[in-house]
Amino acid sequence: MSKTAYISIEGADVQVYISTGKTLNEENFYKFELKDLPEFVRNKGVKELIISQFLPNLITFRFNLPFAYKNLKKKKILDGIVMGEIRKRYPALHNFSFIYKLYEGAAGAYVRCYLLDEANFDTVNKLIIEGLNVKAFYPNFLPLIELLKVREELVKHDQIICLFSGKLRYIFVLHGEELILQRSFESSVESLGDEDVININMTVSYSIQNLRIKPEKVIFIGERQQEIEGLTISYDFLEIPENINALTIPFCLFKFQSQLKGKEFFLPEYKKYLSTSKYINYGIGSLLLASILFLFYNLYILNEINGQWRILNFYRNEMALKERDFLVLQEQINYFEKNLSPFINLQNRKNSEGDIRGSIYPISEASKIKEVQINSIDIENKVPQKIKITGNIAGYSFTERQKAYLDFKNTLVEKGFKISNEKWDITNGDFTLEGEYEARRTLP
């Protein structure tokens, strides 16, 4: 069984859990320096890496939608809307990755979007260059939210998560499951102390004064339960088994991997690579399976050859005996062909007449391409039929329009349409095609 490593990058260190099945094994948790990760992965025979990291430059923003939430069903449309909003807000970004989620608020539908530019992928890119198979990459607030959801800690009110990892502290301000603000700092000690109380109180004040968010509770994760003095809001502790309490993120990555699917952050180039490699692996598996089946099939054929050879000899003898009957039958066929010839000619003349329904067929098939819009069709009902088609090709880029236009033309030609003249404006997507359609259904 292939091994998967669930990794949390914590500054210069990493926390790792190696999975060989669905059952959690507490002996497979590790903590060491980030620079030793490639060698560790190779020594352990790990095949896939699922990584989480605190990314201080993560951008989170919200924008309202001008139409009802229930009408938003097509993901392509939403992707385009979100991409347009990102381009409008951050025109300097060129290579980035984002995820988003729809919500229904009191004022209508809105989108919460999370955005990372290419600088945030430096650490992951180095691991990929090392030859490691990185299958997923998440900002570490995502697995924490899944932990709160399963523990029923997420509420509609505002709250703060404070994650402890050695001397590092990660603070997240949440509205339900929406991340509003995140920050990190390093304490002088590993245990919870006055520095943490001061930083949390400052975060609360900043949220109220600048974000119009009023956190009602802070949830500590990765720290033992204790009494705290000086906090301006109520608090609680969320603990997982004590021996892995300090390895919260790897535990969450393993426990909630199915819930996290679809929320990965990767740059477009690596997404294309993952998609291509997946299909290549499927192809290799299919080829191996086909080879095995072909081998067994050949063995079966070889086993049947002797029997089939005997049957072949039997048929050969039968054909010799039936030759005379065949000649008689051939004479009867010739007779019927001669007497039915007038009817055949009449039917061929009927089929050669113009049929508007037949000429519409290739246009109907070609117009199924989703980017194609037919504006008008002019048909002269004679032989051969002359047809003029005008329409428009939609697309976000010239490349998309050109591809859709070529697909449209090729489909017309395949279905019997002969193009004699064409006008194509790739800028506006307008086209005019003139040609002929000839009925092919004639009796031999």
Side-chain angles (χ1 to χ4, degrees):
M1 182 178 292
S2 62
K3 294 181 180 179
T4 301
Y6 301 88
I7 302 168
S8 176
I9 299 175
E10 313 282 346
D13 297 325
V14 291
Q15 300 174 353
V16 180
Y17 173 67
I18 295 180
S19 167
T20 56
K22 295 183 178 180
T23 304
L24 184 70
N25 187 348
E26 297 173 0
E27 296 179 355
N28 290 342
F29 282 92
Y30 305 89
K31 186 174 182 179
F32 49 87
E33 293 185 4
L34 175 61
K35 63 182 180 64
D36 298 326
L37 180 59
E39 182 180 358
F40 173 84
V41 167
R42 295 188 181 98
N43 291 339
K44 292 293 184 179
V46 172
K47 302 299 182 183
E48 298 179 348
L49 277 64
I50 296 178
I51 301 175
S52 179
Q53 184 181 9
F54 180 82
L55 301 165
N57 297 322
L58 173 77
I59 299 172
T60 173
F61 65 90
R62 161 185 168 168
F63 65 93
N64 295 325
L65 294 172
F67 31 82
Y69 175 81
K70 62 181 179 181
N71 294 329
L72 302 174
K73 297 179 180 180
K74 293 188 177 180
K75 187 176 184 301
K76 286 185 178 180
I77 295 177
L78 285 173
D79 289 346
I81 293 173
V82 175
M83 180 66 77
E85 189 69 21
I86 293 172
R87 296 291 189 192
K88 181 174 67 175
R89 290 172 179 253
Y90 306 100
L93 295 183
H94 299 288
N95 199 16
F96 55 84
S97 180
F98 68 92
I99 63 171
Y100 65 89
K101 186 172 181 180
L102 275 172
Y103 295 93
E104 181 70 21
Y110 68 93
V111 171
R112 170 63 63 180
C113 182
Y114 305 102
L115 174 65
L116 291 172
D117 70 356
E118 58 185 339
N120 291 275
F121 295 86
D122 287 347
T123 302
V124 171
N125 287 341
K126 289 177 182 177
L127 296 176
I128 293 172
I129 293 173
E130 288 276 354
L132 304 184
N133 183 20
V134 180
K135 298 296 290 185
F137 178 56
Y138 307 103
N140 60 1
F141 78 92
L142 288 173
L144 288 177
I145 286 178
E146 296 301 328
L147 176 64
L148 294 181
K149 287 165 67 175
V150 78
R151 296 295 181 92
E152 299 183 352
E153 293 288 346
L154 278 181
V155 295
K156 294 183 178 179
H157 305 295
D158 307 324
Q159 58 186 338
I160 294 175
I161 301 175
C162 182
L163 174 66
F164 284 71
S165 179
K167 293 182 180 180
L168 293 175
R169 310 289 192 264
Y170 303 106
I171 297 177
F172 307 95
V173 179
L174 302 178
H175 173 68
E177 60 181 82
E178 298 178 57
L179 176 68
I180 309 299
L181 172 70
Q182 65 169 10
R183 56 184 295 262
S184 67
F185 66 93
E186 185 172 0
S187 177
S188 58
V189 295
E190 292 190 1
S191 60
L192 194 155
D194 293 339
E195 289 181 75
D196 303 304
V197 173
I198 293 172
N199 273 279
I200 292 173
N201 287 339
M202 290 173 57
T203 302
V204 173
S205 298
Y206 179 85
S207 300
I208 295 173
Q209 295 174 9
N210 296 279
L211 304 177
R212 298 180 182 178
I213 295 292
K214 186 178 181 181
E216 297 186 0
K217 181 171 68 171
V218 57
I219 299 176
F220 294 99
I221 302 177
E223 179 65 3
R224 62 180 179 81
Q225 191 163 353
Q226 56 190 282
E227 295 292 331
I228 307 175
E229 295 183 356
L231 279 177
T232 58
I233 59 174
S234 61
Y235 62 89
D236 199 357
F237 289 84
L238 194 157
E239 295 187 20
I240 54 180
E242 184 177 353
N243 47 352
I244 56 175
N245 198 37
L247 299 162
T248 303
I249 297 297
F251 167 80
C252 291
L253 290 174
F254 168 75
K255 196 72 173 177
F256 309 114
Q257 53 187 311
S258 60
Q259 291 90 329
L260 290 168
K261 282 185 178 179
K263 301 176 183 178
E264 298 82 5
F265 278 84
F266 282 123
L267 293 176
E269 296 83 359
Y270 193 66
K271 281 185 178 179
K272 292 179 181 178
Y273 163 76
L274 289 178
S275 178
T276 302
S277 62
K278 178 179 69 174
Y279 289 116
I280 290 175
N281 292 334
Y282 286 156
I284 293 173
S286 300
L287 183 61
L288 290 174
L289 178 60
S291 300
I292 295 171
L293 293 175
F294 185 70
L295 174 62
F296 281 106
Y297 178 73
N298 284 338
L299 292 175
Y300 170 77
I301 293 298
L302 290 174
N303 187 51
E304 292 291 317
I305 284 179
N306 289 331
Q308 295 296 327
W309 180 257
R310 290 192 296 268
I311 295 173
L312 179 61
N313 287 331
F314 172 78
Y315 285 142
R316 183 180 298 165
N317 295 331
E318 285 290 315
M319 289 176 64
L321 294 174
K322 296 294 183 180
E323 184 177 359
R324 185 178 59 184
D325 296 337
F326 173 77
L327 293 175
V328 174
L329 180 61
Q330 184 65 46
E331 292 179 0
Q332 293 176 348
I333 292 173
N334 292 335
Y335 171 80
F336 280 104
E337 285 183 345
K338 180 179 179 180
N339 287 277
L340 290 174
S341 179
F343 171 76
I344 293 173
N345 293 333
L346 177 63
Q347 187 65 35
N348 283 340
R349 284 197 300 271
K350 179 181 178 181
N351 289 339
S352 65
E353 294 178 356
D355 190 345
I356 294 178
R357 293 175 298 174
S359 61
I360 289 295
Y361 169 69
I363 304 173
S364 174
E365 290 297 309
S367 65
K368 292 179 180 179
I369 300 172
K370 64 179 182 178
E371 292 89 351
V372 175
Q373 179 181 344
I374 302 298
N375 294 333
S376 67
I377 302 173
D378 296 325
I379 301 175
E380 294 182 11
N381 192 18
K382 63 181 182 178
V383 179
Q385 291 178 331
K386 295 189 179 296
I387 305 170
K388 179 179 179 182
I389 310 167
T390 63
N392 181 267
I393 303 294
Y396 291 106
S397 65
F398 291 159
T399 302
E400 289 183 7
R401 292 176 184 171
Q402 183 66 19
K403 181 180 182 305
Y405 177 68
L406 292 177
D407 290 344
F408 178 67
K409 282 178 50 182
N410 292 337
T411 303
L412 285 174
V413 173
E414 290 174 1
K415 302 301 180 180
F417 189 86
K418 297 181 180 180
I419 299 175
S420 60
N421 187 28
E422 66 173 306
K423 295 180 181 179
W424 166 233
D425 185 353
I426 194 174
T427 303
N428 299 319
D430 297 327
F431 68 88
T432 300
L433 291 173
E434 297 180 2
E436 300 175 354
Y437 176 79
E438 295 182 355
R440 301 178 180 179
R441 297 174 52 195
T442 59
L443 293 177

